[in-house]
Amino acid sequence: MTDINFKAPMSHLVPTEARQRDTASFDLIELLFFAYRDFVGDADEILAKFGFGRAHHRVLHFVNRNPGMKVAELLDILKITKQSLGRVLKQLLDEGYVEQKEGATDRRHRLLYVTREG
């Protein structure tokens, strides 16, 4: 039987300039994660008191900024499925934070508005 020795080169143990850049990149990614987590933590706690999540917040934000926007426009902005938006929007409609009206020129359009409560 032949004994084949597949030794890895020792260069992988010595930090090279490229490896140092990779490490710095990963460190930056981790710092961004922790900053994001801490940034949204307080908002998540407030939303949770209402039984809402970040998706609810996004819907309220964009509808508030664009009163009368169409559901299709909101879907395009959020890049989520109709089903996901439907679940969130139903809760916001049912609880009175958002209202939906027919379009003046096309009754098929569902135009969204944030209520005073929203």
Side-chain angles (χ1 to χ4, degrees):
M1 178 182 248
T2 308
D3 189 22
I4 301 173
N5 188 358
F6 290 104
K7 274 192 169 175
M10 296 299 284
S11 63
H12 75 285
L13 298 176
V14 179
T16 63
E17 203 174 301
R19 193 172 301 282
Q20 288 171 342
R21 277 194 308 271
D22 287 348
T23 300
S25 295
F26 286 118
D27 289 347
L28 180 59
I29 290 168
E30 288 175 2
L31 285 173
L32 287 171
F33 165 76
F34 292 122
Y36 176 75
R37 182 195 64 190
D38 293 345
F39 179 75
V40 298
D42 292 339
D44 286 345
E45 287 179 30
I46 294 167
L47 289 165
K49 291 177 184 175
F50 291 93
F52 294 162
R54 292 179 190 166
H56 297 85
H57 182 244
R58 288 184 200 113
V59 169
L60 284 170
H61 171 79
F62 285 109
V63 172
N64 187 53
R65 297 274 295 155
N66 304 286
M69 76 182 314
K70 299 174 194 166
V71 171
E73 294 169 334
L74 187 56
L75 280 167
D76 191 46
I77 289 171
L78 297 176
K79 302 290 185 207
I80 59 175
T81 64
K82 282 184 188 180
Q83 184 177 5
S84 294
L85 178 58
R87 178 186 55 79
V88 169
L89 195 53
K90 180 178 181 348
Q91 187 177 4
L92 291 170
L93 288 165
D94 290 348
E95 295 186 25
Y97 293 99
V98 172
E99 66 181 345
Q100 181 175 279
K101 298 178 182 177
E102 289 180 349
T105 57
D106 189 339
R107 295 177 57 192
R108 293 173 297 176
H109 290 162
R110 298 184 315 171
L111 308 179
L112 301 173
Y113 299 87
V114 172
T115 64
R116 185 170 176 85
E117 183 73 22

